[in-house]
Amino acid sequence: MSNEQMLMWLAAFVRSPNRWVALRSATERTALAGVELNLLPDGTLRDVSAGAVGRLATCIKAVDPLIALAWQMLSLQRTDAPFVIQSVVKGCMALLTGAKGDTQVALAHLRTWDDIACGRIEVDDDDFFRAATRENIVASGMPACVELLDCARWDDAFSWLSEENKRQAGNDVDAWPPPRKSDRKVQRDLINTHVEMLWSQGVAWCGDLALAWQMMMCDPRRPPSFQAVMPQLTWSLEKRSVVSDAGLQDLLHAKLAVWWLGAAGRWEDSDTSIFRIADMKTAGHEYHSAPLAEFDGDPSLLSLKESRPVGPSVVVMRKDRAEERGLPQGWKDLRDQALPLVICRDAAEVRERLQDEYPHAWREVAMLTQDLRSGEPVRIKPTLLASRQPGTGKTRLVRRLAEAISPEMYIYRFDAASAFDGMYGGTPKGWSSAQASVPARAIMASKTANPIACVDEICKAGTGDHNGNLWSAMTPHLEIETSCRYRESSIDAELDLSHVIHLATANSVERLPSQLRDRMRVIRIPAPTLAHLPRLAALVMRDLAAEDDARSCEEPLAADELEILGRAWARERFSMRKLQRLVAATLEARDACARRH
């Protein structure tokens, strides 16, 4: 069977109405691949538990990775961590997106699986197939808000959305679309009431419809009317839409770029709807998969890669507060340049993922992530992660926090143990070795306005003040009042550094001056215990498997292995760093015994 035929089988498998039908399909396909299974006389699998199915997926992976992926889907449970479910679902979506056949329905089902993983849809059992079939009676490959982007006029958008609202709502909820009115204010009030009613339903597809109706209230003459729509619309197009035609995807992104310009106030004096403006600006766009060139000769709308805004932005260096003469070229490019703010897509998912990886610091992770808001720019209060002993995973927690928030989240790490002066705040412009402050360097390196500046081992910084010291240099950056108009001495310009996120780690806070402790929230990370060993050891094995493919099929640690590991770990005072070495040594000992026998 060709690769394309196998992909179409996978699409049909995903569309299975329930888990039992999917099990039969996977069993038949596995038998055709020549893999011997433990079957009952009626041809069904003898053991269909999640654990047995998961082990089967591991064994089949070397024979046929695509069939193994199907068995992985069958092994998923609603109690699994969200990132576990999402990793399998995203792998399947990546395969089906590249298929030549029609996989729209299958991709819509997978989108429902992702909603289940994130908690947007609640299920009563582990049958994700049945839940996806039920949800996708009304769902499609694209959310209604994304399909609305393709409408050329406001009237067309209203008519299409009204019909789509009727089709999806049916008789399940009292959600009939608002009537059409000629008075714009009355129409906005009716739509706003309808939006509130849809949000109150607490159902994923009602939320999609609500966002689509909010798009109908976006008015180029009122740029703030776009604020509640654009981040979610961008995320829906990039993360939840399954557009198999590259040309259509290109066109939708082009129109989205025009909407962002409308949100920025480009057409405040125009009486034309944003739908019509987007249609006119993209009228010359060729409907093919080549990269978008230019929109209707407008030089401000460049190629798709360059023109598509990534969301809210901030001007870090205003032109009137930074003279061009004497500025290094890199800084000249930032004058009056709006830098994007990294968005937190799903705050609950970030929190759950970190709590799953740090079961011994469940409450502390909740404190660290309490400032995050879904769909809003990342902002975290200045925070100090402290622990009485080294090796509890503080630095790793900062790194995993950034990775969980967004791939665009940048960390600039500063080693405080080697800091004996005020270099954190930069050096004056007159010196030949002039260097910008750490927050400014983080912005320059990431080209974003809210990177993370992480000071590692802040308690080990030098205390002398002959050339300044780290603690004094950090102080003005920890309050918005001073950081929003920070005078960068290295370039003699005023910068807005108030969006930079300041995190630090320490084993002791007693040496820190009062001005730092007053400005930073202190979160004490507890050491793990033997009760957390099984979960933490499994996570370490997962990390080892990511580094070495040969470890991907390792069996979980047995009870006797965990017992020996626990005794050794206790002698190391439950250090996470030492646990990694102990688990690696245990697996090497297992390999040695296997070769000997």
Side-chain angles (χ1 to χ4, degrees):
M1 182 175 289
S2 67
N3 289 338
E4 193 61 34
Q5 289 174 321
M6 284 298 296
L7 288 175
M8 297 314 296
W9 170 81
L10 182 63
F13 169 82
V14 170
R15 297 195 306 268
S16 299
N18 54 58
R19 187 172 184 268
W20 289 106
V21 174
L23 274 168
R24 286 198 299 270
S25 177
T27 302
E28 293 171 0
R29 181 56 56 188
T30 305
L32 290 174
V35 178
E36 185 175 348
L37 299 174
N38 186 8
L39 303 177
L40 293 170
D42 62 356
T44 58
L45 201 64
R46 187 176 298 275
D47 188 353
V48 296
S49 63
V53 171
R55 290 190 292 273
L56 182 59
T58 302
C59 296
I60 297 175
K61 188 174 183 179
V63 179
D64 192 318
L66 194 145
I67 298 178
L69 180 61
W71 285 107
Q72 280 183 292
M73 293 182 68
L74 287 165
S75 70
L76 294 177
Q77 299 176 284
R78 54 182 169 164
T79 54
D80 289 335
F83 74 90
V84 174
I85 302 173
Q86 288 176 315
S87 63
V88 176
V89 170
K90 289 178 180 177
C92 189
M93 290 185 76
L95 288 172
L96 295 184
T97 302
K100 295 180 181 178
D102 185 5
T103 59
Q104 292 290 322
V105 176
L107 288 167
H109 280 231
L110 289 172
R111 185 157 59 86
T112 302
W113 284 54
D114 186 68
D115 288 339
I116 294 173
C118 296
R120 288 187 288 264
I121 296 177
E122 295 184 1
V123 293
D124 299 328
D125 54 28
D126 294 327
D127 194 340
F128 290 3
F129 294 90
R130 181 166 58 233
T133 301
R134 181 180 65 248
E135 290 291 330
N136 281 283
I137 293 174
V138 296
S140 66
M142 287 194 295
C145 58
V146 176
E147 293 203 39
L148 210 61
L149 273 177
D150 201 27
C151 293
R153 301 173 61 87
W154 191 93
D155 293 343
D156 297 338
F158 187 92
S159 300
W160 180 88
L161 186 54
S162 295
E163 291 301 319
E164 182 68 8
N165 197 135
K166 293 175 184 178
R167 183 185 73 81
Q168 293 202 26
N171 297 320
D172 294 337
V173 295
D174 184 18
W176 287 92
R180 178 71 185 277
K181 298 291 183 181
S182 57
D183 188 296
R184 291 190 178 186
K185 185 178 184 306
V186 173
Q187 187 71 79
R188 284 200 303 269
D189 292 341
L190 290 172
I191 292 176
N192 192 51
T193 301
H194 186 63
V195 167
E196 292 179 357
M197 187 277 301
L198 285 171
W199 283 123
S200 68
Q201 300 299 318
V203 183
W205 58 267
C206 282
D208 289 337
L209 283 175
L211 182 57
W213 281 109
Q214 283 181 295
M215 291 173 64
M216 302 302 300
M217 294 187 288
C218 291
D219 187 347
R221 296 174 301 175
R222 298 184 301 114
S225 63
F226 289 81
Q227 291 179 358
V229 171
M230 296 311 299
Q232 293 87 340
L233 178 58
T234 303
W235 182 78
S236 293
L237 176 57
E238 295 183 348
K239 303 296 184 182
R240 298 192 65 220
S241 301
V242 283
V243 187
S244 57
D245 190 298
L248 176 59
Q249 186 177 42
D250 189 19
L251 179 62
L252 291 174
H253 278 116
K255 290 194 172 185
L256 180 66
V258 179
W259 278 66
W260 273 111
L261 289 175
R266 174 66 64 86
W267 298 285
E268 285 187 274
D269 299 329
S270 174
D271 194 36
T272 308
S273 75
I274 188 62
F275 293 95
R276 183 58 180 157
I277 293 174
D279 183 63
M280 291 188 296
K281 288 294 181 181
T282 58
H285 170 61
E286 293 292 334
Y287 193 87
H288 56 74
S289 59
L292 188 63
E294 291 188 355
F295 297 104
D296 201 22
D298 188 340
S300 65
L301 298 175
L302 303 177
S303 66
L304 171 65
K305 181 178 180 180
E306 296 173 352
S307 67
R308 190 193 334 167
V310 295
S313 58
V314 169
V315 175
V316 172
M317 180 190 290
R318 286 177 49 179
K319 190 174 183 179
D320 59 344
R321 296 178 184 173
E323 292 187 9
E324 186 174 4
R325 183 196 299 184
L327 278 179
Q329 185 59 48
W331 290 104
K332 287 181 181 179
D333 296 338
L334 290 188
R335 295 178 77 222
D336 267 357
Q337 178 68 35
L339 296 181
L341 290 163
V342 178
I343 299 293
C344 177
R345 301 301 182 190
D346 193 329
E349 179 187 355
V350 173
R351 186 175 302 109
E352 291 171 4
R353 182 178 297 186
L354 293 178
Q355 287 176 335
D356 182 69
E357 295 186 23
Y358 287 82
H360 58 287
W362 191 90
R363 183 177 66 89
E364 289 72 19
V365 167
M367 293 172 60
L368 178 62
T369 57
Q370 67 183 4
D371 300 325
L372 299 177
R373 298 291 183 271
S374 300
E376 296 183 9
V378 179
R379 183 177 284 277
I380 299 176
K381 296 176 182 178
T383 301
L384 173 64
L385 302 178
S387 62
R388 295 192 176 278
Q389 65 184 61
T392 55
K394 300 182 295 295
T395 304
R396 182 180 181 276
L397 176 57
V398 175
R399 176 175 61 81
R400 293 294 297 128
L401 171 67
E403 293 173 353
I405 290 174
S406 171
E408 301 168 354
M409 196 78 241
Y410 180 82
I411 299 178
Y412 191 104
R413 182 181 174 275
F414 185 84
D415 187 7
S418 59
F420 295 95
D421 51 27
M423 280 289 290
Y424 187 92
T427 53
K429 184 178 180 180
W431 295 91
S432 60
S433 59
Q435 196 170 26
S437 65
V438 166
R441 276 182 267 166
I443 289 176
M444 176 62 77
S446 65
K447 294 297 186 291
T448 59
N450 58 341
I452 295 176
C454 178
V455 180
D456 211 8
E457 304 289 358
I458 192 174
C459 56
K460 296 182 180 179
T463 57
D465 57 4
H466 177 64
N467 292 316
N469 60 53
L470 170 66
W471 301 332
S472 298
M474 285 184 63
T475 302
H477 294 281
L478 301 181
E479 288 188 330
I480 295 179
E481 182 67 27
T482 49
S483 61
C484 69
R485 307 188 88 178
Y486 181 79
R487 195 70 191 179
E488 189 63 51
S489 59
S490 64
I491 57 176
D492 193 23
E494 189 176 282
L495 304 182
D496 181 0
L497 305 178
S498 60
H499 297 274
V500 177
I501 298 166
H502 297 275
L503 302 178
T505 66
N507 292 329
S508 172
V509 298
E510 283 72 19
R511 294 183 67 241
L512 300 182
S514 59
Q515 75 263 22
L516 277 188
R517 283 181 286 178
D518 290 343
R519 288 169 171 81
M520 300 191 79
R521 172 180 56 188
V522 178
I523 299 179
R524 300 187 181 275
I525 305 298
T529 65
L530 285 177
H532 304 114
L533 177 59
R535 179 57 188 158
L536 293 175
L539 291 172
V540 171
M541 289 186 64
R542 187 195 66 186
D543 292 342
L544 293 174
E547 298 173 1
D548 184 0
D549 291 339
R551 296 290 184 194
S552 60
C553 297
E554 286 283 358
E555 291 291 330
L557 293 175
D560 57 339
E561 291 175 317
L562 285 173
E563 182 180 356
I564 297 172
L565 191 64
R567 290 200 295 268
W569 192 35
R571 289 194 295 270
E572 300 292 350
R573 300 178 63 188
F574 303 108
S575 166
M576 288 295 299
R577 192 177 299 117
K578 297 295 178 62
L579 179 61
Q580 295 175 353
R581 299 176 185 173
L582 291 171
V583 171
T586 301
L587 295 180
E588 290 174 2
R590 178 192 286 182
D591 293 341
C593 292
R595 286 195 295 270
R596 186 160 47 247
H597 293 291

